[in-house]
């Protein structure tokens, strides 16, 4: 099963997938680092090493968002580099960080995540604190994609609240390169739970999926709507699920939602309107779906993308908040 979560204000899903799944190694890169975000800056202090910070995930207190750090090393391999982090948050707030420790690909070992000790100090900006920490990294010649998890341990005050993240790469005490980007905090999240059936989808009986809708902010959502849709995965993207040109399969599934007193059918050609609920500050709403293919589903379909998304407006906010959870389901 492949999961992608993102908020509407975040960058595109393609960038999120790159940070979520890519590893290191590869081609060289010349010149100073660039930064596609208007709010960020990147500076090469000592060529030929450059670094770019890529906060392209969803960041909220109930989520684990990944930040990518792309390092281009046109010089010799560096086995004892240090990646120093500096994260600015409102005073009295805290963040947690975990760095990735990749397993041996030859042994098919998965990545592990280890906590990074973060120390707080008064920030340069009034009313803010700066958390600093560091982890070691090996930088071979070429491109390396490092990753760390960023978890704000506090509710956001508004949709899209910015958290500046600065990364500085050093080696033997010498600064090689640095980059700064803003991570955007989400006010709303929807997440699916890994059930006992994982990402398997049954062809001839019901498959059930559980979800949690969360208000990640300190404000109230008077009304949040939750919808869903199904799309076919492209046969050209076996490792993911490219659906840009894929057909909608929503009407080819029978979908039901658990009302608490039984299962209710939800129908629609493209989009299914699942529920509407109020979400006070910090609250959650749990719900379950179950689906089964109908005889109209094309027999050649072997993978399906299930999108469940939520939309609502914080009380007094000018713009709505949106969040999505995408599951790639594979038929057993």
């Amino acid at each position: 099963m492949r999961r992608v979560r993102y908020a509407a204000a975040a960058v595109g899903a393609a960038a999120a997938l790159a940070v979520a799944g890519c590893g290191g190694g590869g081609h060289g890169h010349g010149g100073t680092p660039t930064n596609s975000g208007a709010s960020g800056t990147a500076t090469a202090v000592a060529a030929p090493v450059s670094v770019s910070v890529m906060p392209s995930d969803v960041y909220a207190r109930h989520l684990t968002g990944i930040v990518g750090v792309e390092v281009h090393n046109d010089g010799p391999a560096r086995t004892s580099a240090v990646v120093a982090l500096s994260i600015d948050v409102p005073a009295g707030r805290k963040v947690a960080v975990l760095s990735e420790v990749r397993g041996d690909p030859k042994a098919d070992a998965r990545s592990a995540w280890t906590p990074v000790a973060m120390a707080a100090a008064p920030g340069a900006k009034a009313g803010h604190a700066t958390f600093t920490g560091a982890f070691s990294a090996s930088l071979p010649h070429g491109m390396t994609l490092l990753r760390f998890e960023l978890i704000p341990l506090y509710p956001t005050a508004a949709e899209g609240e910015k958290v500046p993240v600065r990364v500085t790469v050093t080696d033997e005490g010498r600064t090689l390169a640095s980059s700064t980007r803003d991570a955007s905090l989400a006010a709303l999240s929807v997440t699916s739970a890994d059930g006992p059936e994982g990402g398997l989808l049954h062809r001839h009986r019901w498959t059930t999926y559980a979800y949690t809708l969360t208000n990640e902010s300190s404000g109230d959502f008077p009304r949040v709507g939750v919808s869903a849709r199904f799309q076919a995965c492209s046969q050209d993207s076996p490792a993911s699920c490219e659906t840009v040109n894929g057909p909608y399969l929503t009407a080819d599934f029978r979908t039901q939602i658990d009302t608490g007193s039984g299962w209710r059918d939800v129908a629609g050609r493209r989009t299914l309107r699942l529920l509407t609920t109020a979400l006070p500050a910090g609250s959650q709403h749990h719900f379950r779906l179950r689906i089964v293919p109908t005889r109209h589903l094309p027999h050649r379909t072997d993978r399906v993308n299930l999108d469940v998304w939520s939309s609502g407006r914080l009380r007094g906010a000018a713009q709505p908040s949106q969040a999505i959870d995408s599951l790639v389901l594979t038929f057993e």
Side-chain angles (χ1 to χ4, degrees), residues 272-290:
L272 304 175
R273 300 190 183 279
L274 302 177
L275 62 92
T276 301
T277 186
L279 275 183
S283 66
Q284 294 183 321
H285 180 82
H286 304 280
F287 62 96
R288 294 194 304 157
L289 299 179
R290 68 178 186 179

Side-chain angles (χ1 to χ4, degrees), residues 22-184:
C22 288
H27 61 277
H29 177 82
T32 58
T34 59
N35 200 316
S36 58
S39 61
T41 60
T43 309
V45 180
V49 175
S50 63
V51 61
S52 295
V53 184
M54 299 183 294
S56 56
D57 213 336
V58 177
Y59 306 98
R61 55 180 175 162
H62 290 97
L63 298 177
T64 301
I66 294 176
V67 178
V69 180
E70 186 176 280
V71 182
H72 294 272
N73 178 20
D74 288 342
R78 301 175 184 271
T79 59
S80 57
V82 173
V83 179
L85 308 177
S86 177
I87 303 171
D88 295 333
V89 299
R93 304 302 196 181
K94 296 181 179 180
V95 294
V97 172
L98 296 89
S99 64
E100 182 182 27
V101 180
R102 292 197 179 101
D104 184 356
K106 295 181 180 179
D108 196 27
R110 295 186 177 182
S111 296
W113 299 86
T114 182
V116 176
M118 302 296 290
K125 183 179 178 181
H128 283 70
T130 299
F131 280 80
T132 56
F135 59 91
S136 60
S138 178
L139 303 178
H141 178 84
M143 191 277 282
T144 300
L145 180 61
L146 308 173
R147 303 190 303 172
F148 64 89
E149 295 178 348
L150 172 63
I151 308 172
L153 303 178
Y154 61 94
T156 181
E159 175 68 40
E161 179 182 344
K162 306 298 183 183
V163 173
V165 178
R166 182 176 181 82
V167 173
T168 302
V169 179
T170 66
D171 189 19
E172 296 181 348
R174 185 166 62 96
T175 298
L176 303 178
S178 63
S179 174
T180 302
R181 286 287 298 272
D182 288 340
S184 296

